[in-house]
Amino acid sequence: MLSDLPRCPECTQLLRPGVVWFGERLAAGAPDCIDNWLLEDGIDLVIAAGTSLNVYPAAEWVTTARDQGASLALIDPNRDHQLLDTLDSGDMFFEQDVTTVLPEVLDLLRRRWNIPT
């Protein structure tokens, strides 16, 4: 629940990284900006980490990016993930907990796409 999330004792704002917590609304205009970015600029890779991809609009963005040619790196300990049957040769599936494998996945992806650290 939103009321259970940690808050700053001084200003009472949520304490968190730049994310949208479950139950929060996206910032006004954010969905349109993301839709435009995906369709106009395109992306090479989507990392779906620790998610069932059942929450929209985020789940739709993964589908849109893949339809535009993006690869998918799926990180989920659940072998029954709904997208497993749709993975292509350029996609990756890591059947592990996101908290333990994400640093290794990021290193792998940096090497694969020659991204400087």
Side-chain angles (χ1 to χ4, degrees):
M1 278 187 107
L2 192 59
S3 61
D4 294 332
L5 297 174
R7 296 186 174 273
C8 172
E10 293 181 25
C11 69
T12 71
Q13 295 295 316
L14 288 174
L15 294 175
R16 60 181 163 150
V19 299
V20 177
W21 294 114
F22 187 78
E24 278 188 311
R25 293 184 177 267
L26 294 171
D32 292 334
C33 290
I34 295 169
D35 287 338
N36 292 338
W37 177 65
L38 286 172
L39 296 174
E40 292 173 9
D41 296 335
I43 58 173
D44 297 320
L45 174 70
V46 175
I47 300 174
T51 176
S52 65
L53 292 171
N54 288 321
V55 177
Y56 285 79
E60 183 179 353
W61 293 325
V62 171
T63 302
T64 300
R66 293 186 76 209
D67 288 347
Q68 298 292 323
S71 294
L72 173 64
L74 179 61
I75 306 169
D76 195 310
N78 183 0
R79 188 68 162 136
D80 297 326
H81 198 284
Q82 66 183 10
L83 288 184
L84 279 182
D85 293 336
T86 70
L87 297 181
D88 295 327
S89 62
D91 297 326
M92 295 161 273
F93 175 62
F94 302 91
E95 187 182 359
Q96 295 177 320
D97 185 274
V98 66
T99 59
T100 58
V101 75
L102 189 57
E104 294 175 40
V105 169
L106 293 176
D107 285 340
L108 172 73
L109 297 174
R110 282 187 188 111
R111 288 193 305 273
R112 182 173 178 172
W113 278 282
N114 296 318
I115 301 169
T117 57

